[in-house]
Structures are given as structure tokens and as C-alpha cells.
Amino acid sequence: MQFSSILTSFALCGVFALSASAPVMAQGRDNARADETILEMAQAYKQRDRKRLSALLPQLRGYVLEPWAAYWELSARLDEASSNEIQDFMERYTGSYLEDRLRAEWLLQLGRKRDWQAFNREYPKYRMNDDKSVRCYALLAEHLSGGTDVNAAVYDIWLTLKDADEGCAAAAEQLVKDHSTRKQPVWLRARLGMENDRLRVATQAVGLLNDSWTRTVNAIYLNPGKYLNDKLTAVRPQTREFVSLALIRQAYLDPAEAAAEMEKLRWKTQLTQEERNWIWGVIGKRAAMKQSDEALHYFAKGEFKQMHEDHLAWAARAALRAGRWNQVRAAIAAMPETLRNEPTWIYWHARALLAQASNESERAEALRLLEGIAGVRGFYEQLALEETGQRIVTPEKPAPLTPQEKEAARQNPGLNRALYAIRIGLRPEGVREWNYTTNLHVRGGMDDRALLAAADLACSVEVWDRCINTSDRTKTVVDLEQRYPMPFREAVLARAKKINLDPAYVYGLIRQESRFIMDARSHVGASGLMQVMPATARWTAKKIGLTDFQPQRITERDTNIAIGTGYLKLVLDNFGGSMPMAAAAYNAGPSRPRTWRGQIGAPTVEAAIWAENVPFNETRDYVKKVLANTTNYAALITGQPQSLKARLGLVGPRDPALPDAGLDLP
């Protein structure tokens, strides 16, 4: 049965109603017409057309997505809505995602207005509590009402945010104003902005201390060398924080140049040891991202204990690439506990222990660490499983879902609204409501069995991304078939066999690229199941002899699979059959992995080490997930034990004796 017909039958049975007993539509309402109206409201909300929203809302009374319509109408005019209107909305849609989402927006508004009485009244009712700006306003309110020491809590949030944030900046500003905090965290925030090329983060932070200083930060960002070469800079003690920002910016642009600048006597005397350690951390990180052999030398100029966790991660990666297991251990030991306990660093810590073990006690400790994370859930979990002498197999399926468990999912209002929204084209809205409904941290959230039932519901109507993401979140049980579904199996297997491509690799890539969403489209224009760019599609169509290809056909299932697998095969052959490098090329373009594999003379390393040293966060994560996906799919397809390590192999510089092939890959 097709997705649309399944949902239609659900709707006729009342499954998509606001509650189990409420009708999907008011008596006699035309569903198709209501669907068109809600789509029109969605567009009006994007345009903040308040008049149109208010005119359309009455047409959707009793409609399954009425909560979204009411939310859009009220959210668009929240700045002028009365407290009574807002409370009426909360009561009407109590317990829903839209109630919580509107409350978050209202809390932000109350925080900006410094209406702490209303804020403190509403904040305890906020269930999701995942908006960091709202949390910072709550900490500010707590500080103002009773002088509570919230410094650590505010900075723990603020220093992890990638972008400028009003709520956390307001809390930090008040703490500085009240002299209840040191200024160093504000400068740390500015450093992080500068080293991550986020000027607004740096200027917002420095502006909390002195608004006029933002001009200096802007000048440093544009030309750090000019600032450092000013003769007066070195003799003004109050400028040392700006010097740090300039050296950090210089390190971002050219780590070798920044390293040379750091050796000058004036900076050795003017900067504190903590500042020097941090700057050497940035220089080492940037050099490591460029795979410079000097990276470890730069890291050694500072002390790990005063470097940021991101610096330490890159110190560990550089040490892995160089085969320096003692430095791997030192960098991991200096990491904060939360980072150190991630599977990535547990695995490499254990590997370092095994590489240097001098007695049975150390080997036993390494195996204990590996056994603690070993499993099929992810890349390092699978590698840990193999390090303990096991292979990757399909785990035993959990007990079948009971009719009662399935019915509870079918009757869940949030899940049904989400699926209905996705069906009619409101995918972002549907995904958000689905995620909210299934998240464990929400009061009354789902346990593992309920998550399996929700995933089963999504699978049954072929909403594969929600099926996968929901099943992925179970903790105590794993249904691998549910986590790794194989839609379009005949088409994928036939195409893969025809061009001699591992079908598990194709499935592993599709799962990561699109989650099997047929009309998926990325922000850069990649389309369809295998997320193919238009230019790549045209080029590949010619290469594989697809003479009747038309650009508008790229989202068609068979066309997308043919072009996507064709391109993947060409890339794989171009990289000598290396699945990790081909995956990186598929994600980031072929030229980058050619650079990342190093020039002649560069070390040949385990592909796991190579993947961990990929400088793009997205591509590093992508490569690891595609290979872990592939290994699990292979276990499902073949029914045989699998090896991730065998698929990874080694990566080193290209053998100059081999003929060049496919250098025109787009």
C-alpha cells in the first residue's frame, strides 16, 4: 500500500485527530481544501503576513493540524498579544509540542523585556527546556531575584554556543556588571569566536566589557598582522587580550606565521602563560587540520592543561597520524571528563594502552575500556567489538511489539499530527513535532518499547527518516532491521550487482544522505535518495550512457539510484576501492580527499586514523557513519559476521606508479 493511501485510511479512522476521540475534520469539511489552506498559512507565516493568517485560521477549526494554524497566527503577533490570549492557547493545546514551542518564544520575549515576574511564573511549565537562550534568561532571573551564584552555569552554556546569543550574553553582561564574575570567561568567549571565524561571537563578547572595543576586534579580524606590528601594542599592558585575539586570528589564517610571531620576545614577556598555552593550542589545531608535520611541535610549545577541549582533540588526532601513542594518551588524559568518555576517545585511549602495554594489568585495562563500548551501534563501538576478538553480527531481535503497544503509537496525537504534516508537504514541522513527542527528556516521554512502536508506525507508512531516527534512540534494546531498513531493495540490489558495487555500501550511503526521503533536497541543491548535485548528475549521466536524462528526473527513484550508484562506483574506482576515501569524496568532493591522503612521503595509516583526521566536522562524521552503516547492512543482507576493519583498510599517499584515473570527477 502506498504512503498516501495508508495515511488516508488512517485519517478516515480518526487516527490523526487531536485526541483519540476527536474527529479528524469537522463534519462535511473537505480535507483537500483544508490541506491547501494550511499550506497557504505556512507560507503566510514565513512572510509574517498577520492579516492573512488571521483570515485563514477560522477555516481550519477541527482540522487535524489546527494547532499549527493557531500557533502560526499567534506566534506572528506574539509581541502584541495579550497574556490572556497566550494562556488560552496554552490551555487549548495543553501537552502538545505547539504549547511548549509557543511558551519558549514567550519566555524569550519576557526575558528580553526583563519581565521576571511573568518569566518565573511560566518557566517551570516549560517541558522541553532545550533552548539555551531561555535557560540563560532563567539563570539571570535566578541571580537577580536572590543573588544566586550562577556563574558556572551561565558560562558552561555560553562557551559552548557556536553563534552569538542574546539570552546568554545578557546573563554574562549582568554578572560582569555586578562584579560577581571575573572577565576571563568573556575573553574566552571572544577567543572561541575568533578561532572559529565567527566575528559576531567575538564582538558581542568584547562589547559586554566596553562597546568601543568592538572596533578594535573588527580591525584585528581584518588584519591581525597590522595590529601586531603597531609599535604601541607591545607597550600597553591592557592590550594583551587583543594581542591574543590577533595571534589567534593569525593562526586561523596561517599557523606557521603565527608560530613565528609567537617566538618574538615581546609576546613571551607580555602574554601570560595561560594565554600562550591557548594560542599554541590554536596554532597546533590549525596546523593539524592542514596535516602539517609541525602540528605536534606546536602543541608541545604549550601545556595541555590550559588548552581548550577542541585543541586537545586535534592534538590527539595529530599524534594518531604520527603514530605517537604516548602523546595520544597525554592529550586524552587532559580532556574534560565528558569528552574523554565519548566512544571516540575511549577507543583511542584503549588502543594507546595496548600499543604501549608493558604488563598484563595495562592490557586488561585496555580490554575493559573496549568491552565497555563494544557493540553495533556506531563506528567506534564496532571497532571496539573487533578489538576484543569479535565480529559484527545482527543482534537478537527484541520481543515483538504487542497489539497494545502498536495501538498506543497509532493513537498518539503528536505522532499522528507529525505524520499528517509530513504527508502534505510540511516536513520540517512534522519532524519537529515527531521529535518532541518521542524525546525521552519531555515529561511523559517514551521508553524503549514505546520508541520501537513509534518507529514501527513510521516504517509502516514509509516515513523512513522518522523510523530510523526513532529506533536509533533506544538504549536497552536494538532492532537492527528497524534501524537499517532497506526500501527499494530489488532496485538497489539489481543496480549494485549490475555495476559490481557492494549493495551494503549503497544502502549505508543512502541512509546517511537522505534517510530514504525520495524528494530530499539539501541546502546546496543536492537532490533525491543519493543526494546528487545537478552538475554531477549531468556529468554522470553521460559517463554511464544515460542518454535520455533530464534534470527534472533526478528525484525519480530509479534515475537517482542509477546516477548515484554510477557516480559512487566511478569515485570508488578512482580511489583504488577505498570505501572511506570514496565516502569522503562523495560528501566533500574528490579533490579534498586527494589532499587529505597526503603527498608522497606522508605516512600510511589505518583508515580509522585517516578518517578521524578529516578536517571537516561534517565529512569526518559522514565517513564514519557510512562505513558503520555499511557493515550493519552487510550483516543484514548476508546473514554472516562482518568486519568494519576489513572495509577500512589503510590510507596513504597515492602510488605514483599507478596510472591516473578519473581526474575530471566533479
Side-chain angles (χ1 to χ4, degrees):
M1 188 181 291
Q2 294 298 311
F3 178 35
S4 58
S5 62
I6 293 173
L7 286 178
T8 300
S9 67
F10 278 5
L12 292 174
C13 294
V15 173
F16 287 112
L18 186 59
S19 67
S21 59
V24 174
M25 298 290 297
Q27 186 66 32
R29 188 179 297 277
D30 183 344
N31 277 27
R33 183 179 227 174
D35 292 346
E36 291 176 2
T37 302
I38 196 72
L39 293 173
E40 188 177 349
M41 283 198 76
Q43 190 61 32
Y45 180 66
K46 291 177 182 177
Q47 299 168 350
R48 287 299 191 269
D49 187 341
R50 301 183 183 187
K51 185 176 180 181
R52 189 65 183 146
L53 287 166
S54 296
L56 292 172
L57 178 59
Q59 300 177 33
L60 296 174
R61 297 299 182 196
Y63 174 58
V64 58
L65 298 183
E66 178 192 338
W68 276 98
Y71 161 75
W72 286 329
E73 193 277 333
L74 185 53
S75 173
R77 58 182 182 85
L78 191 62
D79 57 340
E80 62 183 31
S82 69
S83 178
N84 285 339
E85 283 183 286
I86 296 170
Q87 292 294 351
D88 286 346
F89 177 93
M90 304 290 189
E91 291 176 12
R92 180 175 177 82
Y93 304 111
T94 185
S96 72
Y97 166 63
L98 285 312
E99 177 213 357
D100 223 27
R101 178 166 174 170
L102 189 77
R103 178 170 282 110
E105 293 179 15
W106 192 24
L107 287 167
L108 288 173
Q109 181 172 287
L110 293 171
R112 287 191 292 268
K113 291 180 177 180
R114 306 301 193 262
D115 185 349
W116 303 121
Q117 183 177 1
F119 184 98
N120 289 332
R121 183 179 64 247
E122 290 301 318
Y123 182 69
K125 304 174 189 176
Y126 179 38
R127 294 184 300 277
M128 190 158 43
N129 203 22
D130 64 348
D131 189 306
K132 293 183 178 180
S133 195
V134 171
R135 177 59 183 151
C136 279
Y137 275 129
L139 291 167
L140 175 56
E142 189 177 346
H143 170 73
L144 291 172
S145 65
T148 307
D149 182 2
V150 298
N151 284 273
V154 168
Y155 293 127
D156 280 350
I157 299 172
W158 196 40
L159 293 176
T160 62
L161 296 177
K162 291 182 179 180
D163 298 311
D165 175 84
E166 184 177 339
C168 293
E173 183 177 28
Q174 187 66 48
L175 294 174
V176 170
K177 181 180 178 181
D178 293 347
H179 305 290
S180 62
T181 184
R182 294 178 296 119
K183 295 179 180 179
Q184 187 185 23
V186 180
W187 287 111
L188 292 183
R189 175 73 170 160
R191 291 182 199 174
L192 290 168
M194 196 65 81
E195 77 171 77
N196 291 303
D197 197 29
R198 295 181 182 271
L199 178 60
R200 175 67 183 123
V201 169
T203 55
Q204 183 190 55
V206 172
L208 301 184
L209 303 176
N210 188 320
D211 189 57
S212 67
W213 289 354
T214 59
R215 292 192 295 271
T216 303
V217 175
N218 276 290
I220 288 171
Y221 180 85
L222 293 173
N223 194 336
K226 182 179 180 181
Y227 179 83
L228 293 169
N229 288 334
D230 188 329
K231 292 183 179 179
L232 293 176
T233 297
V235 297
R236 292 175 178 164
Q238 69 270 28
T239 64
R240 63 184 179 80
E241 290 287 2
F242 292 123
V243 169
S244 295
L245 294 182
L247 288 164
I248 288 168
R249 177 61 179 169
Q250 197 171 58
Y252 179 87
L253 299 171
D254 188 333
E257 186 177 332
E261 185 72 32
M262 278 289 286
E263 296 295 352
K264 293 180 179 179
L265 180 61
R266 56 178 174 168
W267 307 137
K268 290 182 178 180
T269 56
Q270 181 172 329
L271 298 176
T272 67
Q273 188 61 50
E274 184 275 332
E275 289 162 344
R276 289 176 56 77
N277 290 337
W278 186 290
I279 295 165
W280 280 118
V282 179
I283 294 171
K285 166 189 165 182
R286 294 297 298 173
M289 293 175 76
K290 294 175 181 291
Q291 296 191 340
S292 168
D293 291 337
E294 294 296 311
L296 287 179
H297 171 70
Y298 296 148
F299 280 120
K301 293 276 188 177
E303 298 177 20
F304 283 163
K305 66 181 180 181
Q306 290 181 322
M307 292 182 186
H308 187 259
E309 62 182 56
D310 204 26
H311 309 158
L312 297 171
W314 277 104
R317 292 180 181 122
L320 284 169
R321 185 171 175 273
R324 304 282 183 82
W325 293 107
N326 60 325
Q327 288 171 279
V328 172
R329 292 175 66 177
I332 295 174
M335 290 176 180
E337 185 177 4
T338 52
L339 180 62
R340 193 168 63 245
N341 288 335
E342 290 181 0
T344 301
W345 303 118
I346 290 175
Y347 175 80
W348 288 119
H349 180 200
R351 285 288 307 278
L353 284 174
L354 286 174
Q356 296 188 308
S358 59
N359 55 58
E360 283 302 317
S361 176
E362 290 180 342
R363 280 188 284 271
E365 172 62 10
L367 289 175
R368 185 191 67 79
L369 291 170
L370 291 168
E371 288 167 355
I373 63 169
V376 300
R377 291 176 181 272
F379 185 79
Y380 283 112
E381 291 89 338
Q382 290 180 1
L383 287 178
L385 196 65
E386 291 197 66
E387 285 292 335
T388 61
Q390 302 176 72
R391 304 266 278 182
I392 292 89
V393 297
T394 304
E396 184 179 350
K397 283 181 68 68
L401 292 166
T402 66
Q404 293 79 9
E405 288 171 327
K406 288 188 175 185
E407 185 63 17
R410 283 175 53 86
Q411 294 294 335
N412 186 293
L415 298 184
N416 289 313
R417 274 195 301 271
L419 292 175
Y420 195 94
I422 290 169
R423 179 181 73 84
I424 66 171
L426 296 175
R427 174 168 287 278
E429 290 80 3
V431 166
R432 287 195 290 269
E433 180 145 20
W434 181 279
N435 291 348
Y436 175 88
T437 305
T438 56
N439 276 347
L440 287 170
H441 70 265
V442 177
R443 187 168 56 216
M446 296 185 175
D447 61 16
D448 277 0
R449 296 292 297 180
L451 287 172
L452 290 176
D456 179 74
L457 176 63
C459 287
S460 71
V461 291
E462 300 179 5
V463 182
W464 301 113
D465 63 322
R466 293 309 92 203
C467 167
I468 293 167
N469 288 29
T470 306
S471 190
D472 260 348
R473 294 214 309 276
T474 60
K475 304 295 184 185
T476 60
V477 294
V478 174
D479 186 337
L480 209 67
E481 290 183 14
Q482 192 182 66
R483 290 189 180 198
Y484 295 86
M486 285 182 269
F488 329 118
R489 180 166 179 152
E490 290 185 8
V492 171
L493 267 59
R495 176 64 184 169
K497 182 178 180 180
K498 182 177 181 180
I499 62 175
N500 194 28
L501 191 61
D502 183 354
Y505 191 40
V506 177
Y507 268 119
L509 186 139
I510 295 176
R511 185 182 190 271
Q512 192 58 30
E513 283 286 353
S514 68
R515 289 290 199 259
F516 304 100
I517 300 171
M518 292 282 290
D519 59 352
R521 187 174 178 84
S522 75
H523 68 282
V524 294
S527 300
L529 288 172
M530 297 191 71
Q531 290 290 278
V532 184
M533 294 291 289
T536 302
R538 290 192 296 270
W539 180 90
T540 306
K542 292 179 181 178
K543 288 288 184 182
I544 65 176
L546 197 63
T547 56
D548 61 343
F549 172 70
Q550 297 294 325
Q552 63 270 23
R553 294 180 57 199
I554 192 57
T555 56
E556 294 177 3
R557 185 197 71 182
D558 291 342
T559 300
N560 193 271
I561 290 173
I563 289 177
T565 55
Y567 180 69
L568 181 60
K569 174 63 172 172
L570 290 168
V571 171
L572 188 64
D573 289 346
N574 184 252
F575 284 96
S578 171
M579 286 186 175
M581 284 196 288
Y586 200 97
N587 179 261
S591 63
R592 291 189 174 102
R594 291 192 190 112
T595 300
W596 297 335
R597 72 188 303 178
Q599 303 301 314
I600 296 174
T604 295
V605 298
E606 297 175 37
I609 292 175
W610 179 83
E612 193 56 52
N613 274 273
V614 167
F616 293 178
N617 292 341
E618 177 190 324
T619 305
R620 186 186 324 120
D621 184 63
Y622 179 90
V623 170
K624 291 187 285 190
K625 286 182 176 176
V626 167
L627 268 294
N629 291 349
T630 299
T631 307
N632 278 330
Y633 272 118
L636 287 167
I637 291 170
T638 68
Q640 299 298 314
Q642 298 295 315
S643 169
L644 172 58
K645 283 193 169 187
R647 285 181 168 80
L648 288 170
L650 303 174
V651 173
R654 185 182 169 277
D655 186 345
L658 295 176
D660 256 342
L663 292 182
D664 62 339
L665 283 170

